Amino acid sequence: MTLKLQMIGTGGAFAKSFFNNNALIIDENFTLLLDCGVTAPMALHRLGRSFESVDAVLITHIHADHVGGLEELAFRMKMQYNRKIALYIAEALVMPLWENTLRGGLYQEGSITSLNDVFDVRPLQPGTAVDISPGIRAELIQTRHIPGKDSFSIYFNDRIFYSADMIFDPELLNRLVNERGCEVILHECQLEGHGAVHTTLEELLSLPEHICKQIYLMHYGDEMRSYEGRTDSMQFLEQQRIYEL
Ligand SMILES: Nc1ccn([C@@H]2O[C@@H]3COP(=O)(O)O[C@H]3[C@H]2O)c(=O)n1
Ligand SMILES: [Zn+2]
Ligand SMILES: [Zn+2]
């Protein structure tokens, strides 16, 4: 069964010509927002969409380009649309998301005192797949990004790997493809500089050809256009385009 993917943005955290690397995963009658960064409200607006058209949100990790739009999402759902949207997030991130990121803006005595007052929180355990909709099944895979900071990539429908921000992990990619039948890899990519907290293009280019063929690149910087034609068989994901995967 194919999945529809529409990146609402494909940019890295500080990109200015691309929105934050956030996506819509679209099943027949269900739309999952994958990460909700600072630019997500504007990126959806550019697509003629609003948060009202989203059925659930899944968060990979706590950085502004992945969670910075959640305050607007929460307020709009509560005040404007009068509903609680399902929030899928690793159990380990539930408390930090509220205490360290959202509480400051959302807290309201007597009405918003926890994440559960604005979201239908669905805590996830890495390694245990859950059905988000009839056609979307998701399994978190913990991947390394920033020391001491939990970050979770996602394996969709037992065949599509969507990387969170992560440092290069060739063992994981080899295992997914060779042992778990992974068919598509949507991977973050840092085009220039050293990959201290991200995966560089150079590192991805070192993977075996049969793996590179499966890779789409995302979370790139403003310099992306000058790298077209320099990625071998890997393709850049384009924001707003709909892919059938
Ligand atoms: N040790 C770190 C921590 C953060 N950063 C930059 O901050 C950004 C936060 O969002 P991101 O998408 O994870 O990308 C991070 C780096 O650009 C970085 O370059 N080095
Ligand atoms: Zn990021
Ligand atoms: Zn990050």
Side-chain angles (χ1 to χ4, degrees):
M1 189 183 187
T2 60
L3 263 192
K4 273 201 192 102
L5 168 81
Q6 184 173 34
M7 303 300 297
I8 64 171
T10 49
F14 307 149
K16 296 294 172 276
S17 34
F18 304 103
F19 291 120
N20 294 155
N21 198 81
N22 305 162
L24 296 175
I25 307 281
I26 304 162
D27 188 9
E28 242 162 68
N29 296 311
F30 193 94
T31 301
L32 172 69
L33 176 61
L34 182 40
D35 281 333
C36 181
V38 181
T39 64
M42 179 61 83
L44 283 172
H45 181 72
R46 284 285 165 79
L47 286 172
R49 277 181 176 266
S50 70
F51 283 134
E52 194 176 17
S53 69
V54 173
D55 297 296
V57 58
L58 192 163
I59 295 300
T60 60
H61 72 293
I62 302 178
H63 266 154
D65 54 322
H66 303 267
V67 297
L70 283 178
E71 181 177 309
E72 179 170 335
L73 172 62
F75 275 136
R76 280 195 188 269
M77 285 293 164
K78 189 166 178 78
M79 312 297 175
Q80 193 175 352
Y81 308 130
N82 197 26
R83 74 181 166 98
K84 271 191 199 176
I85 187 173
L87 168 67
Y88 290 90
I89 182 165
E91 188 166 40
L93 294 181
V94 173
M95 198 275 284
L97 179 66
W98 174 250
E99 290 297 334
N100 305 334
T101 304
L102 294 178
R103 191 177 196 275
L106 286 174
Y107 183 83
Q108 198 168 318
E109 203 171 56
S111 80
I112 308 177
T113 60
S114 82
L115 211 50
N116 298 301
D117 290 323
V118 279
F119 293 109
D120 171 10
V121 183
R122 314 269 179 98
L124 300 175
Q125 305 295 340
T128 304
V130 297
D131 290 313
I132 291 179
S133 77
I136 306 175
R137 192 169 171 77
E139 173 192 333
L140 293 189
I141 298 176
Q142 185 151 14
T143 40
R144 279 167 297 149
H145 177 31
I146 304 271
K149 183 176 189 66
D150 290 325
S151 184
F152 300 87
S153 296
I154 305 143
Y155 197 36
F156 284 109
N157 294 6
D158 249 318
R159 57 182 205 87
I160 300 170
F161 178 73
Y162 183 101
S163 89
D165 293 356
M166 61 184 280
I167 57 172
F168 189 43
D169 189 345
E171 290 78 21
L172 173 65
L173 298 173
N174 271 290
R175 203 164 54 244
L176 284 169
V177 172
N178 299 331
E179 296 171 22
R180 293 197 61 184
C182 179
E183 294 167 5
V184 179
I185 297 169
L186 309 160
H187 210 292
E188 69 117 290
C189 180
Q190 182 177 315
L191 298 171
E192 290 178 346
H194 295 291
V197 299
H198 290 291
T199 299
T200 64
L201 174 60
E202 206 177 335
E203 287 169 328
L204 289 170
L205 285 168
S206 73
L207 289 164
E209 176 63 13
H210 74 285
I211 297 185
C212 285
K213 276 188 180 145
Q214 303 187 5
I215 297 181
Y216 291 84
L217 306 171
M218 59 184 189
H219 203 288
Y220 42 74
D222 289 327
E223 65 280 14
M224 179 274 239
R225 294 287 169 213
S226 65
Y227 280 81
E228 282 175 324
R230 296 162 64 185
T231 60
D232 286 357
S233 54
M234 299 185 286
Q235 303 174 44
F236 283 111
L237 273 180
E238 289 182 26
Q239 64 182 27
Q240 302 189 338
R241 180 170 156 188
I242 297 176
Y243 296 82
E244 291 263 359
L245 300 174

